[in-house]
Amino acid sequence: MEINCVANELNEEFIKEMTILKLEKNYGFIEGEEFKEAVIALGLKYGFSDYAELLSFTAFKVIVNRIEEMQNENVRILFNETVEVPDGDDFISKTCDVILIGTDVIEVITLFSANVNVISAYDNEEVKLLGIGAIDKFLSRMECSKIRLIAIQPHLNLCSIYETTVEKML
């Protein structure tokens, strides 16, 4: 049982990292040779499976569609952005997989690749905390009035989207 948990965690990290790597290549953040070296390094770190590659491609397509939907808003794309989220009387650092900042909306995208049940962006505390952290970090530098919390589960071929106002989220 422990071996399966470790394998799922490694698979989830591989899928997240591979998806973000593909996005960075697709949007010109990294060049071809750097991409090849990073893919090889990921393969050496986690191992490689066709299934994990398929899941990363599924997540990649969903995120590309989200970006294309926002393109008329001059979208700013951020990967692996660290935000501070409330934890009782203190704050802790969490990492957002992808943040898209448009003129009127900010999207906080979280990838869930492990074998877990269906996750609703509306009900998931982790997703909401990441949204609050992103608002806190970027609110002074943006004019967005809406936030979309997005949970992508490529192993279930699901994408949950919850949209609300920044005001209601806080």
Side-chain angles (χ1 to χ4, degrees):
M1 188 70 166
E2 275 186 45
I3 293 172
N4 283 340
C5 287
V6 170
N8 283 339
E9 286 177 23
L10 288 175
N11 209 23
E12 181 166 3
E13 289 306 310
F14 172 81
I15 292 164
K16 282 183 178 191
E17 289 184 39
M18 181 60 88
T19 301
I20 290 170
L21 190 60
K22 289 175 183 178
L23 290 164
E24 288 174 333
K25 169 74 169 97
N26 192 61
Y27 291 101
F29 289 87
I30 61 173
E31 297 299 321
E33 195 60 36
E34 185 180 359
F35 176 75
K36 288 178 192 174
E37 290 173 12
V39 168
I40 291 168
L42 276 179
L44 292 173
K45 182 177 179 181
Y46 296 112
F48 188 83
S49 75
D50 290 340
Y51 179 67
E53 169 57 27
L54 176 66
L55 294 181
S56 76
F57 183 70
T58 301
F60 167 80
K61 288 192 310 185
V62 171
I63 296 169
V64 166
N65 288 339
R66 301 297 320 149
I67 294 169
E68 287 175 357
E69 188 176 300
M70 292 178 67
Q71 277 302 8
N72 60 346
E73 299 182 35
N74 195 20
V75 66
R76 181 174 165 207
I77 307 168
L78 304 168
F79 303 108
N80 295 320
E81 192 68 31
T82 302
V83 296
E84 299 293 318
V85 298
D87 183 36
D89 294 336
D90 202 8
F91 287 88
I92 57 172
S93 294
K94 294 272 190 180
T95 302
C96 297
D97 296 326
V98 180
I99 297 176
L100 307 176
I101 302 174
T103 53
D104 190 46
V105 67
I106 182 170
E107 291 193 1
V108 179
I109 301 173
T110 307
L111 300 171
F112 293 96
S113 305
N115 294 324
V116 294
N117 293 330
V118 173
I119 293 173
S120 166
Y122 174 76
D123 293 332
N124 188 277
E125 287 302 314
E126 177 78 12
V127 173
K128 286 182 178 180
L129 284 174
L130 291 171
I132 290 169
I135 290 169
D136 185 51
K137 184 170 185 172
F138 297 106
L139 189 58
S140 65
R141 295 183 266 166
M142 64 182 191
E143 297 294 323
C144 298
S145 61
K146 295 182 281 188
I147 183 167
R148 284 188 201 117
L149 305 176
I150 301 172
I152 299 173
Q153 294 180 272
H155 67 290
L156 298 174
N157 202 23
L158 290 175
C159 176
S160 172
I161 302 172
Y162 171 62
E163 182 176 319
T164 188
T165 64
V166 169
E167 186 178 303
K168 284 183 183 176
M169 190 70 176
L170 296 174

